[in-house]
Amino acid sequence: MPNQEIFALIDRFEYSSLRSMKLSTQAFTLELNRDAPAAGAAGPVPEPAEQPAPAEGSYLTAPLVGTFYTASAPGQAPFASVGDCVKKGQTVCLIEAMKMMSEIPAPCDCVIEEVCKADGVLVAFDEPLFRYRPC
């Protein structure tokens, strides 16, 4: 199992209501448990750095964990760029999770004001992908 798929599985577990999970294959075993302390944990976990407040507007967020793609293939034109007016249901990006491509549609007729993620990066559930303004 590629590392990217393992990381996606861990992210999905993190945002789920599951308390524990175990996955075994011939090559490895992965066991996740929310109730057990982390191995080698010594003391409190530092607080994450404060994120800047998001700009005003509506956001299209990631409906799943995976790799964010702005185009259907490398070198192809992006589905949506800043300033584009897109129709409700029009594909604006792809998210790949476990070798499956999911088309992400525009939630309404809108103008894309910002692309929040770089092409090819891993996105978590509910992370902003685009800032848009309904038209």
Side-chain angles (χ1 to χ4, degrees):
M1 178 178 255
N3 285 345
Q4 186 176 13
E5 289 179 14
I6 293 170
F7 294 139
L9 189 59
I10 291 170
D11 275 346
R12 187 163 279 180
F13 174 79
E14 183 177 326
Y15 291 102
S16 75
S17 61
L18 295 174
R19 300 305 308 159
S20 65
M21 182 179 101
K22 185 174 184 177
L23 172 68
S24 296
T25 68
Q26 290 178 340
F28 71 93
T29 298
L30 173 66
E31 192 167 345
L32 304 172
N33 189 338
R34 292 185 194 280
D35 300 326
V45 176
E47 299 249 351
E50 270 193 46
Q51 297 286 344
E56 288 295 317
S58 299
Y59 287 87
L60 173 60
T61 60
L64 66 153
V65 174
T67 305
F68 171 77
Y69 293 108
T70 57
S72 59
Q76 295 292 314
F79 291 109
S81 300
V82 173
D84 287 355
C85 185
V86 296
K87 297 289 184 195
K88 179 179 181 174
Q90 180 179 335
T91 300
V92 293
C93 66
L94 299 173
I95 295 182
E96 178 187 12
M98 300 189 70
K99 307 288 184 201
M100 300 266 314
M101 291 291 196
S102 296
E103 294 182 352
I104 309 304
C108 60
D109 291 355
C110 58
V111 175
I112 302 296
E113 294 187 323
E114 178 185 4
V115 179
C116 303
K117 297 293 175 186
D119 188 54
V121 301
L122 186 63
V123 294
F125 176 74
D126 214 25
E127 261 190 283
L129 303 175
F130 295 92
R131 183 168 51 92
Y132 66 90
R133 175 178 37 86
C135 54

